[in-house]
Amino acid sequence: MEKQEDFKLNTHSAVYYHWRVWELTGLMRPPGVSSLLYVVYSITVNLAVTVLFPLSLLARLLFTTNMAGLCENLTITITDIVANLKFANVYMVRKQLHEIRSLLRLMDARARLVGDPEEISALRKEVNIAQGTFRTFASIFVFGTTLSCVRVVVRPDRELLYPAWFGVDWMHSTRNYVLINIYQLFGLIVQAIQNCASDSYPPAFLCLLTGHMRALELRVRRIGCRTEKSNKGQTYEAWREEVYQELIECIRDLARVHRLREIIQRVLSVPCMAQFVCSAAVQCTVAMHFLYVADDHDHTAMIISIVFFSAVTLEVFVICYFGDRMRTQSEALCDAFYDCNWIEQLPKFKRELLFTLARTQRPSLIYAGNYIALSLETFEQVMRFTYSVFTLLLRAK
């Protein structure tokens, strides 16, 4: 039964939900679907939602005359535009995404061949965490979409789901009002699905990288550990030669891990940098909004500001947290090479081990924009910057 479960190991299932979303929203053509029909479908959906939805928000922003309204609309517009840019980036890196899937198949096959239950368990744990992250973001977006709908229903006067401009009179036309709200609800659902995948695929890929590093760490620590099976009918020299071959296989596994990190770096660099820029812009805008609406005692607007501030802060924290986990695991992987039983081994074993140690001294990190490290130290710096900006605005009020 255990071997049968190992055979089903598929770490790419960590991004199963994301892949289905990308197929649904026109980025990845599903197998068996006509290319022409899918292109037409993709263009229709993305023109109607990915392009038109943020344009309607931006147009409304240009017609806003008061500062409080400007800050509120700017917060929504920035968030939506950046979310669409992250979504578009998935299309730009689709070749790398397919390369990751192929590489994961090789690494999964290696883990099944080794067949160590602890390695399999570590990989499945990271897959579950990645899928759980997607479900958590999905719950948040479902709650937010539902809240927007309830807010429109309970309001005594007419109001749209989001402040937007459509060039028609919806205040005095029931037909226009209904049609616009139907479009906004459709656009909001599609955007929520897109954003759920865009916000959760960085931590999902970081979980995959962490899981395979953990599996390799366990594999390396077992190098040179004698067992009854390995000692039976085997000379000391034959055993040392076998251990050397184990090291060579682990070095090849390490090269695959490094390759996976390089691809993930290219995939995550732009969206993570966009998230940092978005968070900084939204946090500053929310600070301005909070200060301006506080004078008018508009508690509803204050709550909305706090929700947006918390949301963008959470998105940055998530990618920094999972980036920090991956860095910690890379350090543990480096330590594993020191902890293996190298003392009894052949000179060529020790030589290869020294070369490998020299290449693993620096911990692995993913960088936003190839510059900002995804770590908890970076998150701390972001929060310090936010506090400094808010304090400065408070003094200038």
Side-chain angles (χ1 to χ4, degrees):
M1 179 62 69
E2 184 67 31
K3 287 295 182 182
Q4 185 177 1
E5 291 180 358
D6 293 350
F7 181 77
K8 295 179 180 179
L9 176 66
N10 177 21
T11 54
H12 190 260
S13 62
V15 290
Y16 170 81
Y17 298 129
H18 307 81
W19 213 266
R20 297 289 81 80
V21 168
W22 295 332
E23 290 177 347
L24 182 65
T25 52
L27 293 184
M28 301 285 188
R29 182 170 63 88
V33 177
S34 169
S35 299
L36 179 60
L37 290 178
Y38 191 73
V39 168
V40 173
Y41 166 79
S42 176
I43 292 175
T44 303
V45 170
N46 286 287
L47 280 179
V49 179
T50 310
V51 176
L52 183 58
F53 198 85
L55 284 179
S56 66
L57 298 177
L58 187 60
R60 180 67 180 86
L61 179 66
L62 298 177
F63 288 102
T64 303
T65 56
N66 62 84
M67 181 59 71
L70 179 66
C71 290
E72 180 181 0
N73 293 341
L74 186 61
T75 300
I76 299 172
T77 304
I78 290 174
T79 305
D80 190 69
I81 290 176
V82 171
N84 283 312
L85 290 176
K86 292 193 293 183
F87 176 73
N89 179 72
V90 175
Y91 179 78
M92 302 299 294
V93 299
R94 63 192 185 282
K95 291 183 179 179
Q96 284 78 18
L97 294 175
H98 284 287
E99 188 177 353
I100 288 175
R101 183 166 62 176
S102 300
L103 187 56
L104 288 175
R105 286 173 181 166
L106 292 175
M107 300 170 79
D108 290 346
R110 168 69 170 150
R112 289 194 297 268
L113 181 64
V114 173
D116 180 67
E118 195 173 359
E119 288 186 28
I120 302 295
S121 176
L123 291 169
R124 287 189 176 139
K125 175 185 175 183
E126 296 300 324
V127 169
N128 291 335
I129 292 174
Q131 292 180 344
T133 303
F134 179 92
R135 289 191 288 265
T136 300
F137 274 101
S139 301
I140 294 172
F141 281 107
V142 167
F143 174 76
T145 303
T146 304
L147 193 62
S148 298
C149 295
V150 171
R151 179 168 169 262
V152 170
V153 171
V154 300
R155 293 273 298 189
D157 54 338
R158 289 186 174 182
E159 185 174 334
L160 299 179
L161 287 171
Y162 278 99
W165 182 86
F166 291 94
V168 296
D169 182 13
W170 53 269
M171 286 294 294
H172 303 94
S173 172
T174 302
R175 186 191 64 172
N176 291 340
Y177 177 69
V178 172
L179 289 177
I180 289 175
N181 271 289
I182 290 175
Y183 166 75
Q184 281 203 321
L185 180 59
F186 170 74
L188 189 60
I189 292 173
V190 174
Q191 291 269 277
I193 294 172
Q194 292 176 345
N195 296 346
C196 181
S198 297
D199 290 341
S200 60
Y201 83 79
F205 281 125
L206 291 171
C207 283
L208 283 173
L209 188 54
T210 302
H212 280 285
M213 283 183 175
R214 172 60 178 165
L216 181 55
E217 176 204 345
L218 295 170
R219 201 172 303 158
V220 170
R221 289 186 187 278
R222 293 196 304 271
I223 293 177
C225 295
R226 296 197 182 196
T227 62
E228 292 182 4
K229 182 178 179 180
S230 64
N231 291 336
K232 187 176 180 180
Q234 189 179 43
T235 64
Y236 182 64
E237 288 302 319
W239 171 75
R240 294 207 297 174
E241 183 63 31
E242 181 181 305
V243 172
Y244 172 72
Q245 294 302 323
E246 288 180 13
L247 175 65
I248 295 301
E249 289 298 325
C250 286
I251 292 174
R252 291 182 182 136
D253 295 335
L254 181 63
R256 293 190 187 102
V257 168
H258 286 166
R259 177 58 183 164
L260 180 62
R261 193 207 71 82
E262 290 173 3
I263 304 172
I264 291 177
Q265 169 64 57
R266 293 206 301 270
V267 170
L268 300 189
S269 178
V270 172
C272 289
M273 189 64 188
Q275 186 59 60
F276 278 112
V277 173
C278 173
S279 297
V282 169
Q283 286 173 343
C284 292
T285 306
V286 165
M288 292 288 293
H289 189 198
F290 180 82
L291 293 174
Y292 273 93
V293 300
D295 294 336
D296 299 331
H297 303 288
D298 189 348
H299 300 296
T300 303
M302 291 173 63
I303 293 174
I304 293 175
S305 297
I306 293 173
V307 169
F308 266 95
F309 180 90
S310 302
V312 296
T313 303
L314 175 63
E315 289 175 348
V316 171
F317 172 76
V318 167
I319 58 176
C320 287
Y321 170 75
F322 283 101
D324 201 77
R325 283 180 77 241
M326 189 272 294
R327 179 186 65 177
T328 302
Q329 181 56 59
S330 72
E331 293 172 348
L333 176 57
C334 178
D335 293 341
F337 282 98
Y338 286 99
D339 292 340
C340 70
N341 182 17
W342 56 269
I343 298 177
E344 302 179 59
Q345 306 309 321
L346 296 168
K348 61 181 180 180
F349 178 100
K350 298 175 182 178
R351 183 169 57 252
E352 292 293 340
L353 182 62
L354 285 174
F355 289 148
T356 303
L357 288 172
R359 293 194 298 267
T360 58
Q361 291 304 303
R362 293 180 60 186
S364 295
L365 280 168
I366 299 296
Y367 293 89
N370 297 318
Y371 179 71
I372 303 175
L374 301 185
S375 64
L376 290 177
E377 290 86 352
T378 299
F379 179 74
E380 181 183 0
Q381 293 173 4
V382 170
M383 296 310 298
R384 287 177 181 272
F385 170 78
T386 302
Y387 177 77
S388 300
V389 170
F390 186 81
T391 303
L392 180 63
L393 291 174
L394 191 62
R395 290 179 179 177
K397 182 180 176 184

